[in-house]
PDB file of all heavy atoms in Angstrom:
ATOM      1  N   THR A1052     -55.076 -13.542  49.498  1.00  0.00           N
ATOM      2  CA  THR A1052     -56.131 -13.827  48.485  1.00  0.00           C
ATOM      3  C   THR A1052     -55.525 -14.713  47.413  1.00  0.00           C
ATOM      4  O   THR A1052     -56.219 -15.658  46.969  1.00  0.00           O
ATOM      5  CB  THR A1052     -56.574 -12.483  47.882  1.00  0.00           C
ATOM      6  OG1 THR A1052     -56.890 -11.604  48.956  1.00  0.00           O
ATOM      7  CG2 THR A1052     -57.761 -12.670  46.992  1.00  0.00           C
ATOM      8  N   SER A1053     -54.301 -14.490  47.014  1.00  0.00           N
ATOM      9  CA  SER A1053     -53.650 -15.282  46.037  1.00  0.00           C
ATOM     10  C   SER A1053     -53.626 -16.737  46.510  1.00  0.00           C
ATOM     11  O   SER A1053     -53.985 -17.601  45.713  1.00  0.00           O
ATOM     12  CB  SER A1053     -52.250 -14.696  45.792  1.00  0.00           C
ATOM     13  OG  SER A1053     -51.518 -15.538  45.032  1.00  0.00           O
ATOM     14  N   LYS A1054     -53.174 -16.925  47.743  1.00  0.00           N
ATOM     15  CA  LYS A1054     -53.105 -18.252  48.259  1.00  0.00           C
ATOM     16  C   LYS A1054     -54.473 -18.940  48.321  1.00  0.00           C
ATOM     17  O   LYS A1054     -54.600 -20.086  47.980  1.00  0.00           O
ATOM     18  CB  LYS A1054     -52.548 -18.288  49.674  1.00  0.00           C
ATOM     19  CG  LYS A1054     -51.015 -18.165  49.653  1.00  0.00           C
ATOM     20  CD  LYS A1054     -50.443 -18.395  51.117  1.00  0.00           C
ATOM     21  CE  LYS A1054     -49.084 -17.750  51.166  1.00  0.00           C
ATOM     22  NZ  LYS A1054     -48.894 -16.810  52.248  1.00  0.00           N
ATOM     23  N   GLU A1055     -55.456 -18.169  48.738  1.00  0.00           N
ATOM     24  CA  GLU A1055     -56.802 -18.712  48.885  1.00  0.00           C
ATOM     25  C   GLU A1055     -57.390 -19.116  47.513  1.00  0.00           C
ATOM     26  O   GLU A1055     -57.944 -20.223  47.356  1.00  0.00           O
ATOM     27  CB  GLU A1055     -57.728 -17.651  49.484  1.00  0.00           C
ATOM     28  CG  GLU A1055     -59.152 -18.012  49.676  1.00  0.00           C
ATOM     29  CD  GLU A1055     -59.398 -19.306  50.468  1.00  0.00           C
ATOM     30  OE1 GLU A1055     -58.601 -19.573  51.404  1.00  0.00           O
ATOM     31  OE2 GLU A1055     -60.407 -20.033  50.187  1.00  0.00           O
ATOM     32  N   ILE A1056     -57.126 -18.313  46.450  1.00  0.00           N
ATOM     33  CA  ILE A1056     -57.598 -18.709  45.130  1.00  0.00           C
ATOM     34  C   ILE A1056     -56.921 -19.964  44.666  1.00  0.00           C
ATOM     35  O   ILE A1056     -57.558 -20.909  44.191  1.00  0.00           O
ATOM     36  CB  ILE A1056     -57.402 -17.532  44.144  1.00  0.00           C
ATOM     37  CG1 ILE A1056     -58.293 -16.340  44.485  1.00  0.00           C
ATOM     38  CG2 ILE A1056     -57.695 -18.054  42.727  1.00  0.00           C
ATOM     39  CD1 ILE A1056     -57.997 -15.120  43.611  1.00  0.00           C
ATOM     40  N   LEU A1057     -55.619 -20.036  44.860  1.00  0.00           N
ATOM     41  CA  LEU A1057     -54.888 -21.207  44.426  1.00  0.00           C
ATOM     42  C   LEU A1057     -55.350 -22.436  45.158  1.00  0.00           C
ATOM     43  O   LEU A1057     -55.480 -23.560  44.640  1.00  0.00           O
ATOM     44  CB  LEU A1057     -53.388 -21.022  44.581  1.00  0.00           C
ATOM     45  CG  LEU A1057     -52.784 -19.964  43.546  1.00  0.00           C
ATOM     46  CD1 LEU A1057     -51.310 -19.700  43.892  1.00  0.00           C
ATOM     47  CD2 LEU A1057     -52.971 -20.373  42.152  1.00  0.00           C
ATOM     48  N   LYS A1058     -55.646 -22.244  46.523  1.00  0.00           N
ATOM     49  CA  LYS A1058     -56.161 -23.367  47.241  1.00  0.00           C
ATOM     50  C   LYS A1058     -57.496 -23.865  46.660  1.00  0.00           C
ATOM     51  O   LYS A1058     -57.711 -25.041  46.500  1.00  0.00           O
ATOM     52  CB  LYS A1058     -56.376 -22.842  48.692  1.00  0.00           C
ATOM     53  CG  LYS A1058     -56.761 -24.003  49.668  1.00  0.00           C
ATOM     54  CD  LYS A1058     -56.789 -23.476  51.051  1.00  0.00           C
ATOM     55  CE  LYS A1058     -58.149 -23.624  51.656  1.00  0.00           C
ATOM     56  NZ  LYS A1058     -58.439 -22.796  52.792  1.00  0.00           N
ATOM     57  N   GLN A1059     -58.402 -22.930  46.338  1.00  0.00           N
ATOM     58  CA  GLN A1059     -59.651 -23.293  45.724  1.00  0.00           C
ATOM     59  C   GLN A1059     -59.469 -24.047  44.427  1.00  0.00           C
ATOM     60  O   GLN A1059     -60.279 -24.840  44.049  1.00  0.00           O
ATOM     61  CB  GLN A1059     -60.595 -22.114  45.560  1.00  0.00           C
ATOM     62  CG  GLN A1059     -60.889 -21.449  46.911  1.00  0.00           C
ATOM     63  CD  GLN A1059     -62.100 -20.546  46.894  1.00  0.00           C
ATOM     64  OE1 GLN A1059     -62.863 -20.552  45.946  1.00  0.00           O
ATOM     65  NE2 GLN A1059     -62.259 -19.747  47.899  1.00  0.00           N
ATOM     66  N   LEU A1060     -58.382 -23.758  43.710  1.00  0.00           N
ATOM     67  CA  LEU A1060     -58.133 -24.421  42.422  1.00  0.00           C
ATOM     68  C   LEU A1060     -57.388 -25.735  42.689  1.00  0.00           C
ATOM     69  O   LEU A1060     -56.987 -26.376  41.713  1.00  0.00           O
ATOM     70  CB  LEU A1060     -57.261 -23.510  41.527  1.00  0.00           C
ATOM     71  CG  LEU A1060     -57.857 -22.150  41.035  1.00  0.00           C
ATOM     72  CD1 LEU A1060     -56.875 -21.456  40.196  1.00  0.00           C
ATOM     73  CD2 LEU A1060     -59.149 -22.421  40.291  1.00  0.00           C
ATOM     74  N   GLY A1061     -57.191 -26.085  43.913  1.00  0.00           N
ATOM     75  CA  GLY A1061     -56.494 -27.359  44.168  1.00  0.00           C
ATOM     76  C   GLY A1061     -54.988 -27.268  44.133  1.00  0.00           C
ATOM     77  O   GLY A1061     -54.300 -28.252  43.933  1.00  0.00           O
ATOM     78  N   LEU A1062     -54.504 -25.974  44.138  1.00  0.00           N
ATOM     79  CA  LEU A1062     -53.047 -25.809  43.914  1.00  0.00           C
ATOM     80  C   LEU A1062     -52.329 -25.332  45.184  1.00  0.00           C
ATOM     81  O   LEU A1062     -51.305 -24.618  45.051  1.00  0.00           O
ATOM     82  CB  LEU A1062     -52.848 -24.789  42.789  1.00  0.00           C
ATOM     83  CG  LEU A1062     -53.425 -25.223  41.367  1.00  0.00           C
ATOM     84  CD1 LEU A1062     -53.310 -24.095  40.375  1.00  0.00           C
ATOM     85  CD2 LEU A1062     -52.767 -26.427  40.849  1.00  0.00           C
TER      86      LEU A1062
END
Side-chain angles (χ1 to χ4, degrees):
T1052 309
S1053 169
K1054 278 190 202 125
E1055 178 59 29
I1056 294 176
L1057 292 175
K1058 186 172 121 201
Q1059 297 197 15
L1060 297 179
L1062 299 173

